[in-house]
């Protein structure tokens, strides 16, 4: 019988080969550190091993002097609002890191700790850091090299505080923009998420994790966090004041395994290829089973099939959510499923005691503990944490470049490459810098907090002057125009009479996670009013929308001359004026489909073709 290889197979082989070939391998496999790990592991008691698997939040653990040593804590985190008691300055954060690390070095084996934080768009908890656009905007750039560069700068600013681990990139594939975490995703398109997620990991971790300017990355939230279906049942763990009419966050992703793999897995495959050291299992469930409890997902697919050699960090209190009535049973389920480190912000003592008892009772095998600790220590060795000749204190020389003009220039580049021009009637844009008078309006025209969105200094972000440095759109317009141009401003759009044109900046106020779940994405009444007031002056109106996702603009769009979506651009408003005044041509292409109405949701390119009838399709974007 004649043997032959079908053409399709050859194509697939060539495709896979080309992909692997185009990507230089990371310096070393994590398992190449196993000989050193084994030696250290053999000296460790059960308590010391469990300590490596325990990650409290800094506040609670430092409040209890002696706990770092008593529980042999191997890692600490700062959650969204877990700030230094002294405030959010660079100095205070660096001091907090050094203080915490010093405590860990007092343990018997003096294993340095990993300090983790959500540096999700720059070192976004720290005042004066450069805040890059959120991922939804970066998706509009389609620019891998830029995303890698952003990762590198973020790593450097995080390192300036001594911290060595970020819970990013988020490689979610949001399918429903009503979800409050939509902006954390690069795109609804898995291919784009795969490419940009990989670039982000390369930027953050560099080619060699032992580089003192690299930080450990974390691909999250594995898996299907963006595929949940809307529900009216409130999620656990949300603040009592959060009452969206519908919930998507931490919900259930009801798809078969083939669909789960096709849409939600590619970002993890490429992150692993880029050498990502950690992955965070999702709060959400897959067909009713919590990801944090699924051996199929954590061990069989990630570790065995995809060969992931780093470690899994649970989400904030996620293990207890598996079974709130049986915290001990939940720990057994999750650790046995393959979870390696537990994010237990306040409940770390119970986690430690329960896990110890579970091992002693034979409910969690010692081999599983050894595997988890091996994975954690591999990463610590790979990062140079175990190198006794290296100081584990912060390198304060890096304070010099923190929030620097050079770093801001890259953020500004990211902004101008990400803004998407949706409408430009009669060539309203680009504007002349010599225009006689521009009236600027809208609640977000002079609001750096709205530009930055959630996960900015505060977990939920905050409107107003949330961080120093950077430029609002109003400031950027004033800086861009000629000396003869008059710039006037009113939040509500009144007083525009006599100007040549109005620029109205409107959109969402900051939110994070489930608190941003929305049943209605209409513009606020005050935003519509600002646009209408500016219109009354009988001049062309340019709208700039600053929001974490597409909003319903079908009725407002015909009334305005030009419409730009900036999503959440971060601190560098000048990236917007770079495009408005034509110094750079708009290049951004939508990373998400734009619906006409709420009734169409969820609407995305992965859904049924015959129902795909967006206002603007995925990839849309004009230029001049
Ligand atoms: C979020 C994660 C985040 C963690 C730590 C959780 O609530 O889901 O994305 O990394 O908190 O702040
Ligand atoms: C923390 C966040 C965390 C959230 C979960 C907040 O208090 O700051 O990091 O994601 O709680 O509910």
């Amino acid at each position: 019988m004649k043997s032959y290889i079908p053409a399709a197979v050859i194509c697939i082989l060539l495709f896979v080969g080309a992909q692997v070939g185009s990507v230089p391998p990371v310096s070393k496999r994590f398992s190449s550190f196993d000989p050193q790990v084994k030696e250290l592991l053999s000296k460790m008691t059960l308590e010391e091993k469990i300590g490596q698997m325990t990650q409290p939040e800094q506040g609670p653990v430092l409040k209890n002097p002696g706990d770092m040593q008593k529980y042999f804590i191997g890692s600490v985190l700062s959650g969204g609002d877990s700030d230094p008691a002294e405030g959010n300055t660079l100095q205070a954060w660096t001091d907090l890191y050094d203080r915490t690390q010093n405590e860990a070095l007092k343990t018997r084996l003096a294993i340095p700790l990993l300090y983790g934080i959500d540096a999700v768009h720059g070192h976004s908890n720290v005042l004066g850091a450069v805040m890059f656009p959120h991922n939804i905007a970066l998706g509009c750039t389609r620019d891998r090299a830029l995303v890698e560069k952003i990762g590198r700068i973020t790593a450097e600013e995080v390192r300036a505080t001594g911290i060595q681990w970020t819970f990013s990139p988020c490689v979610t594939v949001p399918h429903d923009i009503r979800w409050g975490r939509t902006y954390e995703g690069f795109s609804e398109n898995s291919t784009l998420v795969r490419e940009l997620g990989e670039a982000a990991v390369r930027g953050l971790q560099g080619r060699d994790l032992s580089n003192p300017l690299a930080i450990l990355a974390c691909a999250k939230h594995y898996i299907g966090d963006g595929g949940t279906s809307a529900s009216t049942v409130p999620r656990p763990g949300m603040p009592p004041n959060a009452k969206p009419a519908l919930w998507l966050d931490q919900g259930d992703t009801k798809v078969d395994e083939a669909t789960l793999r096709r849409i939600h897995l590619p970002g993890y495959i490429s992150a692993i290829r880029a050498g990502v050291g950690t992955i965070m299992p999702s709060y959400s469930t897959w067909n009713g089973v919590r990801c944090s409890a699924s051996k199929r997902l954590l061990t069989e697919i990630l570790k065995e099939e995809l060969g992931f050699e780093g470690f899994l960090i649970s989400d904030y209190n996620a293990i207890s959510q598996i079974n709130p009535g049986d915290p001990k049973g939940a720990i057994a389920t999750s650790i046995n499923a393959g979870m390696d480190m537990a994010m237990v912000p306040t409940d770390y003592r119970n986690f430690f005691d329960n896990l110890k008892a579970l091992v002693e009772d034979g409910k969690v095998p010692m081999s599983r503990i050894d595997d988890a600790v091996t994975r954690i220590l591999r990463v610590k060795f790979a990062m140079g944490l175990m190198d006794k000749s290296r100081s584990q204190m912060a390198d304060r020389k890096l304070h010099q470049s923190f929030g620097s003009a050079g770093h801001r220039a890259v953020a500004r580049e990211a902004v101008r490459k990400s803004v998407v021009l949706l409408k430009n009637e009669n060539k309203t844009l680009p504007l002349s810098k010599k225009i006689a008078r521009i009236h600027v309006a809208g609640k977000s025209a002079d609001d750096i907090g709205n530009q930055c969105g959630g996960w900015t200094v505060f977990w939920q972000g905050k409107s107003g002057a949330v961080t120093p440095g950077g430029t609002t759109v109003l400031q950027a317009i004033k800086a861009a125009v000629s000396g003869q141009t008059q710039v006037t401003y009113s939040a509500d759009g009144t007083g525009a009479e006599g100007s040549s044109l109005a620029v109205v900046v409107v959109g969402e106020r900051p939110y994070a996670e489930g608190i941003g779940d929305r049943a209605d994405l209409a513009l606020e009444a005050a935003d519509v009013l600002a646009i209408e007031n500016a219109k009354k002056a009988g001049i062309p109106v340019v709208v700039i929308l600053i929001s974490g996702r597409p909003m319903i603009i079908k009725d407002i769009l015909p009334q305005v001359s030009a419409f730009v979506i900036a999503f959440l651009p971060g601190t560098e408003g000048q990236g917007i004026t770079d495009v408005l005044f034509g110094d750079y041509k708009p290049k951004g292409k939508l990373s998400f489909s734009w619906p006409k109405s709420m009734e169409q949701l969820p609407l995305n390119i992965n859904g049924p073709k015959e129902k795909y009838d967006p206002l603007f399709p995925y990839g849309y974007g004009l230029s001049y």
Side-chain angles (χ1 to χ4, degrees):
M1 211 176 82
K2 216 166 92 185
S3 102
Y4 65 94
I5 305 170
V9 171
I10 294 178
C11 284
I12 290 169
L13 290 174
L14 286 175
F15 177 70
V16 171
Q19 290 218 314
V20 172
S22 66
V23 175
V26 281
S27 56
K28 272 184 191 154
R29 293 180 70 96
F30 288 114
S31 56
S32 69
F33 295 93
D34 284 2
Q36 293 103 296
V37 169
K38 228 177 172 161
E39 203 197 317
L40 179 55
L41 200 66
S42 70
K43 296 184 192 139
M44 293 171 78
T45 62
L46 175 60
E47 285 85 354
E48 284 168 331
K49 291 175 182 175
I50 292 175
Q52 287 298 312
M53 299 171 67
T54 309
Q55 187 194 57
E57 210 160 38
Q58 58 82 19
V61 72
L62 293 179
K63 223 173 43 216
N64 295 299
D67 267 15
M68 289 284 290
Q69 297 85 24
K70 183 167 172 214
Y71 294 94
F72 306 99
I73 296 302
S75 179
V76 155
L77 95 141
S78 272
D81 286 321
S82 165
D83 308 330
E86 300 76 18
N88 281 307
T89 62
L90 174 58
Q91 179 75 35
W93 273 100
T94 315
D95 292 347
L96 172 63
Y97 166 82
D98 276 358
R99 199 159 66 237
T100 317
Q101 186 63 279
N102 260 319
E103 288 300 311
L105 295 174
K106 287 183 205 152
T107 51
R108 185 180 77 101
L109 292 167
I111 300 173
L113 63 74
L114 273 169
Y115 197 122
I117 196 160
D118 296 283
V120 298
H121 65 133
H123 197 4
S124 41
N125 285 269
V126 186
L127 293 170
V130 52
M131 309 289 177
F132 292 96
H134 272 292
N135 287 345
I136 189 171
L138 297 182
C140 299
T141 70
R142 310 289 199 272
D143 190 335
R144 286 188 259 190
L146 176 65
V147 170
E148 183 167 337
K149 201 159 31 162
I150 290 171
R152 228 161 28 231
I153 293 172
T154 301
E156 195 178 312
E157 297 211 350
V158 171
R159 277 286 183 178
T161 55
I163 296 174
Q164 339 91 322
W165 184 12
T166 174
F167 305 124
S168 71
C170 186
V171 293
T172 183
V173 182
H175 83 138
D176 189 334
I177 60 170
R178 292 174 294 181
W179 187 36
R181 305 196 80 156
T182 299
Y183 66 81
E184 296 188 56
F186 291 109
S187 177
E188 71 189 31
N189 179 352
S190 318
T191 308
L192 186 55
V193 172
R194 187 190 72 199
E195 292 173 0
L196 298 186
E198 177 169 356
V201 172
R202 285 180 187 284
L204 294 163
Q205 294 196 166
R207 292 287 184 275
D208 183 353
L209 255 179
S210 74
N211 182 333
L213 290 180
I215 60 173
L216 180 62
C218 178
K220 71 186 188 185
H221 309 82
Y222 178 80
I223 182 177
D225 54 348
T228 58
S229 30
S231 152
T232 50
V233 183
R235 304 291 165 222
M238 284 288 124
N241 59 345
K243 290 196 191 77
L246 110 175
W247 291 83
L248 282 139
D249 196 39
Q250 306 184 13
D252 189 28
T253 297
K254 303 183 211 309
V255 293
D256 61 20
E257 189 171 318
T259 310
L260 189 79
R261 284 173 179 266
R262 182 166 51 81
I263 295 177
H264 300 283
L265 195 59
Y268 296 94
I269 297 177
S270 66
I272 292 171
R273 192 166 58 198
V276 76
T278 67
I279 293 176
M280 187 186 290
S282 181
Y283 280 124
S284 55
T285 55
W286 173 41
N287 294 327
V289 177
R290 292 230 168 239
C291 295
S292 305
S294 167
K295 191 167 188 172
R296 170 95 192 112
L297 293 174
L298 307 193
T299 297
E300 290 176 23
I301 297 184
L302 262 193
K303 295 179 176 178
E304 292 171 3
E305 183 187 321
L306 298 179
F308 173 61
E309 294 185 342
F311 69 88
L312 299 178
I313 169 74
S314 79
D315 204 342
Y316 203 92
N317 280 327
I319 295 179
S320 63
Q321 288 188 20
I322 293 171
N323 187 350
D326 178 14
K328 196 168 170 186
I331 293 168
T333 303
S334 189
I335 301 296
N336 284 333
M339 194 71 80
D340 300 305
M341 189 188 277
M343 192 185 283
V344 275
T346 48
D347 208 21
Y348 60 93
R349 289 175 174 173
N350 283 331
F351 171 79
F352 185 100
D353 293 341
N354 279 331
L355 184 52
K356 191 174 162 213
L358 285 163
V359 177
E360 286 164 352
D361 296 349
K363 302 254 172 57
V364 172
M366 197 59 207
S367 57
R368 182 68 269 279
I369 300 293
D370 283 341
D371 174 56
V373 180
T374 294
R375 289 167 175 275
I376 294 164
L377 292 178
R378 277 171 181 168
V379 170
K380 290 192 174 184
F381 273 103
M383 293 179 74
L385 259 63
M386 309 305 295
D387 181 347
K388 292 269 185 270
S389 68
R390 256 170 82 163
S391 164
Q392 296 305 325
M393 294 301 112
D395 176 3
R396 292 177 194 243
K397 285 198 297 295
L398 294 172
H399 286 196
Q400 273 165 27
S401 62
F402 188 87
S404 66
H407 290 181
R408 289 182 191 280
V410 175
R412 178 173 174 173
E413 177 190 350
V415 176
R416 69 171 166 259
K417 286 182 169 169
S418 62
V419 295
V420 183
L421 180 62
L422 295 177
K423 177 178 180 179
N424 192 19
E425 199 178 71
N426 304 326
K427 297 195 174 147
T428 307
L429 298 179
L431 305 178
S432 160
K433 291 182 185 171
K434 297 197 182 114
I435 203 163
R437 183 184 149 201
I438 301 182
H439 188 75
V440 182
K443 69 163 192 278
S444 295
D446 196 22
D447 195 314
I448 213 122
N450 286 359
Q451 278 174 213
C452 289
W455 298 106
T456 307
V457 184
F458 305 94
W459 176 39
Q460 293 295 315
K462 205 174 231 173
S463 292
V466 71
T467 183
T471 349
T472 64
V473 179
L474 177 62
Q475 290 165 338
I477 290 176
K478 285 181 176 164
V481 294
S482 71
Q484 300 92 297
T485 304
Q486 201 195 347
V487 179
T488 51
Y489 167 72
S490 67
D492 67 0
T494 54
E497 293 76 13
S499 32
S500 332
L501 174 130
V503 176
V504 188
V505 192
V506 296
E508 291 187 308
R509 299 167 199 272
Y511 53 80
E513 300 189 43
I515 289 133
D517 285 3
R518 293 276 184 279
D520 186 5
L521 292 170
L523 293 179
E524 271 181 31
D527 286 349
V528 175
L529 192 65
I531 297 168
E532 282 170 355
N533 283 340
K535 277 283 296 177
K536 280 189 202 142
I539 50 176
V541 171
V542 177
V543 170
I544 298 173
L545 182 63
I546 291 187
S547 63
R549 49 195 151 187
M551 299 189 72
I552 303 306
I553 57 169
K554 202 165 118 282
D555 295 337
I556 214 80
L557 201 63
Q559 300 183 41
V560 304
S561 301
F563 199 103
V564 173
I565 171 71
F567 290 112
L568 298 172
T571 43
E572 306 313 305
Q574 286 180 293
I576 295 176
T577 45
D578 283 344
V579 173
L580 273 192
F581 292 97
D583 293 327
Y584 293 86
K585 291 183 194 310
K587 278 188 174 169
K589 304 281 176 228
L590 288 179
S591 51
F592 282 79
S593 304
W594 199 297
K596 291 175 176 155
S597 68
M598 291 308 289
E599 290 67 46
Q600 289 182 304
L601 298 178
L603 175 78
N604 59 67
I605 53 168
N606 305 308
K609 297 250 178 324
E610 60 287 357
K611 280 199 179 155
Y612 190 71
D613 180 27
L615 183 62
F616 298 109
Y618 171 83
Y620 187 84
L622 304 170
S623 193
Y624 24 83

